[in-house]
Amino acid sequence: MSRVLIIAEHDGKTLNPATAKCITCAHLIPAAEITIAVFAADASAIAAQAAKLQHVARVLKVENPANKHPLAAVLAPQIAALARRFSHVFGPSTTFGKDLMPRVAALLDTAQVSDIMTVESATRFGRPIYAGNVLVTVDVVDCEPIVGTVRTASFEAAAEGGSASVEVSPTRADLPAGTRLVAVSGGKTDRPDLQTARRVVSGGRALGSADNFKILYSLADKLGAAVGASRAAVDAGYAANELQVGQTGKIIAPELYVAIGISGAIQHLTGIKDARTIVAINKDPGAPIFEVADYGLVGDLFTIVPELERLF
Amino acid sequence: MDLPAVVTTDLRLNEPRYVKLPEIMKAKKKPLETFKLTSLGVSPRERVKPVRYEPPVQRQNGIVLKTPQELVEALKKKGLVA
């Protein structure tokens, strides 16, 4: 039997849907018993949400004032201490998980399987390489526990309907004081979160300026969509770093993705290939984005976008 | 944080310096020291073994529409927008 520990991602109040996707992935491991660990200052509300998810056997609360903000340097030794009792330790392949899980793997002197897309057995997983151009299936040998990050776009979220027990787990590891949080700054908006939004409107270099980028915001607001950007648009300073979609940005799987003025470099496409429906608006009919788009519109985005906003 | 530390940076942190030709030439003369893994006290094992490689599933080519109206109608039909 496999005993899988999943590290919950949350913002201190609400469980991030990425965690429910990790559960679906872990459940594909034959006879997996799934435990969710919630590291927080006050984990009760989050643990209660995690306990309601299907396939979860147990939720562990690891409460400590030092766990208020998810600092990888502080969380990793606590996870490593817990992990000895498990066969697998999974986290989401989000900014949170990508920061944290490699440290856990290093502390456990084990190998990490990154961006798990498929599960064939307790030790055989599929993952993307070369910017998603190739899928490789790997066997993990001689690793206990196996540390993995789950490519959330590849899995549906586990549904509610479970009733796991919630237990308190004491913090045993000595917490490192070497890394201290100074401040958290950044995008608090009323818009949906890019990583989990059902609809995303994304812009590329063709927008031409940060000012022009605003037309996407008003279209996104009309659609109730999150706003994303290509690397070219972020590099040019039209959009904030955290909006970047693609290999070095966020890997997303919305129901609707609208790519506006994005040519569709492979590094961008790898971030959106699990989107249910892709719409491309570009003036170049030969742009690679049209090869993956379900619907394409060839033309000037500055006439099409306001028109769409009016029509929706 | 306390030092020493391993630091990773955001890819837009700065504009890397351009390496000038004389510096490239100078670099060739710098001493190169080679270590044996055993002398560093590590014994790497292959713990993640590739089993097979496959191309990813390709998305089907979609349709190119003529007007924004057609797009809005198509998306409404699919229930993607209200």
Side-chain angles (χ1 to χ4, degrees):
Chain A
M1 193 182 75
S2 298
R3 292 163 55 82
V4 187
L5 178 68
I6 295 173
I7 312 306
E9 177 172 354
H10 61 82
D11 62 4
K13 294 185 206 76
T14 317
L15 188 68
N16 189 294
T19 308
K21 294 182 176 188
C22 291
I23 294 169
T24 304
C25 174
H27 185 61
L28 293 170
I29 296 171
E33 187 199 66
I34 299 172
T35 302
I36 309 280
V38 180
F39 291 84
D42 175 4
S44 297
I46 305 147
Q49 293 162 42
K52 273 193 230 142
L53 295 171
Q54 275 178 7
H55 315 308
V56 178
R58 209 154 41 112
V59 179
L60 294 178
K61 295 196 290 185
V62 190
E63 294 179 319
N64 191 311
N67 292 344
K68 187 162 193 279
H69 296 284
L71 286 180
V74 174
L75 295 187
Q78 301 177 60
I79 296 167
L82 265 185
R84 306 272 177 205
R85 290 146 49 195
F86 293 88
S87 60
H88 299 72
V89 185
F90 282 178
S93 190
T94 55
T95 309
F96 165 79
K98 285 178 182 172
D99 187 28
L100 176 61
M101 300 313 283
R103 280 180 183 266
V104 175
L107 288 172
L108 293 167
D109 189 25
T110 183
Q112 175 173 302
V113 185
S114 302
D115 291 325
I116 295 170
M117 291 178 80
T118 57
V119 177
E120 289 187 19
S121 76
T123 55
R124 183 173 284 192
F125 306 95
R127 55 178 300 263
I129 52 173
Y130 303 130
N133 279 322
V134 178
L135 301 182
V136 61
T137 303
V138 296
D139 270 341
V140 187
V141 289
D142 196 16
C143 282
E144 185 79 19
I146 293 170
V147 174
T149 59
V150 175
R151 188 177 182 276
T152 51
S154 299
F155 300 93
E156 298 286 332
E160 291 196 350
S163 55
S165 62
V166 177
E167 296 166 25
V168 177
S169 174
T171 315
R172 285 194 211 98
D174 290 331
L175 297 187
T179 309
R180 292 170 290 271
L181 184 88
V182 178
V184 183
S185 64
K188 276 284 164 220
T189 67
D190 296 335
R191 292 196 179 81
D193 172 48
L194 176 58
Q195 190 87 56
T196 52
R198 290 174 58 226
R199 301 179 190 130
V200 174
V201 173
S202 219
R205 186 157 37 194
L207 268 298
S209 73
D211 227 28
N212 289 345
F213 214 84
K214 286 181 189 144
I215 64 169
L216 296 193
Y217 285 101
S218 60
L219 178 63
D221 288 345
K222 195 85 183 272
L223 287 169
V227 172
S230 72
R231 180 174 169 188
V234 176
D235 278 351
Y238 306 163
N241 267 8
E242 63 266 23
L243 298 188
Q244 189 178 321
V245 172
Q247 192 187 5
T248 49
K250 298 208 160 72
I251 312 280
I252 57 174
E255 285 170 26
L256 175 64
Y257 186 77
V258 186
I260 299 171
I262 292 176
S263 62
I266 182 73
Q267 291 84 355
H268 185 74
L269 301 184
T270 194
I272 60 166
K273 71 187 191 63
D274 292 301
R276 197 78 48 83
T277 299
I278 297 176
V279 173
I281 300 168
N282 203 299
K283 67 176 182 333
D284 173 13
I289 189 80
F290 287 116
E291 286 166 29
V292 300
D294 299 275
Y295 300 109
L297 271 178
V298 179
D300 180 17
L301 70 95
F302 293 107
T303 52
I304 291 173
V305 172
E307 177 80 2
L308 280 177
E309 196 190 327
R310 198 174 54 75
L311 289 167
F312 276 126
Chain B
M1 66 177 87
D2 299 334
L3 299 175
V6 176
V7 177
T8 65
T9 63
D10 183 79
L11 97 148
R12 279 168 287 266
L13 178 70
N14 53 27
E15 197 70 48
R17 253 180 326 153
Y18 182 74
V19 184
K20 296 190 186 74
L21 184 63
E23 283 164 357
I24 297 172
M25 300 305 286
K26 265 190 229 161
K28 288 183 177 169
K29 296 207 186 81
K30 300 278 180 191
L32 255 184
E33 212 176 330
T34 309
F35 295 95
K36 284 266 186 303
L37 274 177
T38 44
S39 76
L40 297 172
V42 286
S43 50
R45 288 164 289 155
E46 191 190 25
R47 296 195 283 192
V48 178
K49 289 185 178 161
V51 180
R52 61 172 193 273
Y53 298 92
E54 290 156 285
V57 183
Q58 295 294 323
R59 287 185 78 99
Q60 294 296 311
N61 261 18
I63 44 172
V64 173
L65 305 166
K66 285 192 188 63
T67 65
Q69 261 101 348
E70 284 181 19
L71 176 63
V72 172
E73 277 157 32
L75 294 180
K76 279 187 178 162
K77 218 161 134 189
K78 270 195 149 186
L80 287 165
V81 291

